[in-house]
Amino acid sequence: MAVDAETVRRVARLARIAEPEARLDPLAREISGILGWIEQLNEVDVDGVEPMATAVHATQPLREDVVTDGGDPARVLGNAPRSDDGFFVVPKVVE
Amino acid sequence: MSELTALTLTDAVEGLRTKRFSAEEITRAHLEAMQGARTLNAFTVETPDRALEMARASDARIARGEGGPLEGAPLGVKDLFSTEGVETTAGSRILQGFKPPYESTVTANLWRDGAVMLGKLNMDEFAMGSSNETSAWGPVANPWRSRGSNASLTPGGSSGGSASAVAADLCLGATASDTGGSIRQPAAFTGTVGIKPTYGRCSRWGMVAFASSLDQAGPITRSVADAALMLRSMSGHDPKDSTSLAVETPDFTQFVGRDVRGLRVGVPREYRVDGMPAEIEQLWEQGVAWLRDAGCEIVEVSLPHTRYALPAYYIVAPAEASSNLARYDGMRFGYRAGGGTLTEVYENTRAQGFGDEVKRRILIGTYVLSAGFYDAYYLRALKVRRRIADDFDRAWETCDALLTPSTPTAAFALGDKDADPVTMYLNDVFTVPANLAGLPGISVPAGLDANGLPLGLQLVGRALDEGTLFSLAGALEQAAAFRSKPERWWS
């Protein structure tokens, strides 16, 4: 399926990546090329086939719902682009 | 000092244990070699102070007779593994300056067993690439060059720094990771050994995630025995990774050198791809002959869905990546760009922080997961993935392991496959199926092509049967007697 510039704009918006206007057409061509190559999957008969999301057959392990780590805000904030007084500082979220 | 850097990991550990040389001596020899090889761009961070501190601690433990299985052995770490207090970027500008406050389980296991960290190794950005050219820190050069040429070749990717450093004798072994071939393809391109174990054998905790259902850690080394030794330390159940398998780690080293008589080796006919160079075909036939001579039974098998593995992978991997990489929003760690609104900050941070290939894959992943396309692309790819895994299960009814080429070509020139992403993707045609099925695969250096460049053969085995792979890989290694080393043009 061919992807157009408008679709790239919409998907880039969903992915929160600013793509300049001039990149939309080249990206549409690249992605269309890749998706065109992927279309060959339609040749495979997948009727009644169970989707395989993981190679691990085991069931998901459970553990007690208890606190195992934490209480160290300095380490948590150590890589923050901005922090103040034990908090992350982020752009204004609510007007 | 160069004789200390040319040792195998196995011999170095033995020399350290018997005090023929000290951990500090062998560590200094490697730090010196690294300094002289910066033109390869294999290391993104060198940690000489930490290396010497760890080496002295190793020497003290050896003196007390308390050395671990890797005591005093200097290793490199792919920059995908979080290392406490040491910059970890996964080859991306978006993580520039990030110093994890924790250590990955795999590297923690290596330090527990006495290994010494030399530094962090360059890689394709977020492990997305097959040539190391997508790294934000520039491509790595392959120590190997075509005979009579000065042109720079790729060491492969995404573990290009790991492969290059091991091939150039800058470390005794290196951690690497493999989502679609990122251990085995660079190993093949550099004349080194690389194994991707069974999915779940190594903990993914503290590894920067690319595609969580496919990512698996493994070593790149200079011999099969070294790979067994290093993988034994890296493996093990970890409660911090829910996909880590609760199984015992066998002593893989005991399988190397074992008799392979009577093992059934499958040759999958679908791996004879169009346009495969005659040299690769011949090497493959040679590998079959070597294993037959070693007493294996050779059987032809069919994996009918092989050709659909790559396109299925290029849905599954980008889909998982688009989800995993959503965490890079510039708020809690990593790079943050400016912008008027919160959304603009997100969009600018990710536009400036990610490279082109990563952005391309996030967009594809977002597209195939978006409303209206999920069933047609993502769900169909997961069903094809099941078909591919079923093919392997059927093959195991008649054989114990598969022998294939590792790659469809030898190392190519930097810049050679830039123009079309699909051309680059095709490099992983022989390695991707094992990731989709979660199976172990090992690449062993098997010969040189007409230009004097290394070529590898791959063995794929049953889930959790790395032991058989190590036995067969040992037999291939012995028969191939690959002793070639690249000329030291870099120092």
Side-chain angles (χ1 to χ4, degrees), chain B residues 7 20 25 31 57-58 63 82 108 112 152 169 184 199 209-210 225 253 271 288 300 332 334 355 386 421 443 459 486:
Chain B
L7 292 172
R20 280 196 287 119
E25 279 173 311
L31 292 171
S58 282
S82 295
R112 172 204 67 203
S152 242
D169 293 351
R184 293 159 286 158
Y199 182 81
F210 162 13
T253 64
Y271 279 56
V288 168
E300 184 158 317
R332 291 148 301 154
R386 172 80 60 194
S443 177
L459 291 155

Side-chain angles (χ1 to χ4, degrees), chain B residues 8-197:
Chain B
T8 63
L9 174 62
T10 305
D11 288 347
V13 165
E14 181 58 16
L16 284 157
R17 195 183 64 78
T18 53
K19 300 183 187 146
R20 280 196 287 119
F21 44 84
S22 69
E24 187 168 341
E25 279 173 311
I26 194 169
T27 298
R28 283 191 191 280
H30 281 92
L31 292 171
E32 209 173 286
M34 286 157 60
Q35 241 178 31
R38 288 195 181 130
T39 179
L40 294 175
N41 200 28
F43 281 86
T44 52
V45 179
E46 298 178 10
T47 54
D49 294 342
R50 180 172 297 214
L52 288 171
E53 189 188 316
M54 291 173 92
R56 289 187 198 111
S58 282
D59 282 330
R61 280 193 292 273
I62 291 167
R64 292 197 301 268
E66 293 169 3
L70 296 174
E71 200 64 61
L75 303 177
V77 174
K78 184 177 182 179
D79 203 24
L80 187 99
F81 294 86
S82 295
T83 42
E84 190 169 356
V86 177
E87 189 179 22
T88 300
T89 68
S92 183
R93 203 168 292 288
I94 212 161
L95 277 172
Q96 186 162 22
F98 176 66
K99 290 185 176 171
Y102 44 78
E103 186 79 23
S104 81
T105 298
V106 160
T107 48
N109 290 347
L110 292 171
W111 317 144
R112 172 204 67 203
D113 283 356
V116 169
M117 175 165 83
L118 291 168
K120 303 300 288 289
L121 292 159
N122 203 344
M123 55 181 283
D124 279 300
E125 184 177 10
F126 288 107
M128 297 181 196
S130 306
S131 66
N132 220 106
E133 289 169 292
T134 72
S135 169
W137 322 124
V140 176
N142 193 329
W144 293 85
R145 287 171 163 184
S146 290
R147 206 171 280 131
S149 164
N150 288 332
S152 242
L153 301 180
T154 173
S158 67
S159 310
S162 304
S164 177
V166 172
D169 293 351
L170 310 183
C171 54
L172 295 173
T175 68
S177 69
D178 191 314
T179 304
S182 286
I183 291 175
R184 293 159 286 158
Q185 182 251 23
F189 280 9
T190 56
T192 55
V193 176
I195 180 165
K196 178 200 92 71

Side-chain angles (χ1 to χ4, degrees), chain A residues 1-3 7-8 10-19 23 27 30-31 33-35 37-61 75-77 79-82 88-93 95, chain B residues 84 97-99 101-102 199 213 242-243 245 305 307-308 310-312 314-315 330-334 336 342-343 345-348 350-351 359-360 362-364 366-368 370 373 377 379-387 389 421-422 425-426 436-438:
Chain A
M1 179 182 301
V3 167
T7 306
V8 174
R10 183 176 61 82
V11 172
R13 173 84 184 166
L14 283 173
R16 297 291 185 268
I17 296 175
E19 288 293 358
R23 279 288 295 150
L27 271 169
E30 285 171 25
I31 293 172
I34 295 166
L35 291 175
W37 168 70
I38 283 171
E39 298 276 294
Q40 54 180 305
L41 292 181
N42 292 330
E43 300 164 11
V44 184
D45 176 8
V46 292
D47 273 0
V49 176
E50 189 67 20
M52 178 176 172
T54 170
V56 174
H57 298 296
T59 51
Q60 289 290 302
R75 287 175 78 216
V76 172
L77 292 168
N79 283 290
R82 281 188 67 194
F88 291 104
V89 176
V90 302
K92 198 170 173 185
V93 180
E95 289 302 322
Chain B
E84 190 169 356
F98 176 66
K99 290 185 176 171
Y102 44 78
Y199 182 81
S213 83
S242 65
T243 61
L245 296 169
H305 295 90
R307 60 183 294 236
Y308 302 109
L310 264 182
Y314 274 96
I315 300 269
M331 295 299 127
R332 291 148 301 154
F333 58 92
R336 180 190 292 183
L342 180 64
T343 301
V345 175
Y346 288 150
E347 291 181 342
N348 293 337
R350 292 162 64 79
K359 282 190 258 191
R360 190 184 291 132
I362 291 175
L363 293 178
I364 290 173
T366 306
Y367 179 74
V368 300
S370 64
F373 299 103
Y377 287 110
L379 209 59
R380 172 166 283 269
L382 291 187
K383 291 176 180 177
V384 173
R385 182 180 184 182
R386 172 80 60 194
R387 286 276 196 221
V422 173
Y425 299 168
L426 290 174
L436 290 171

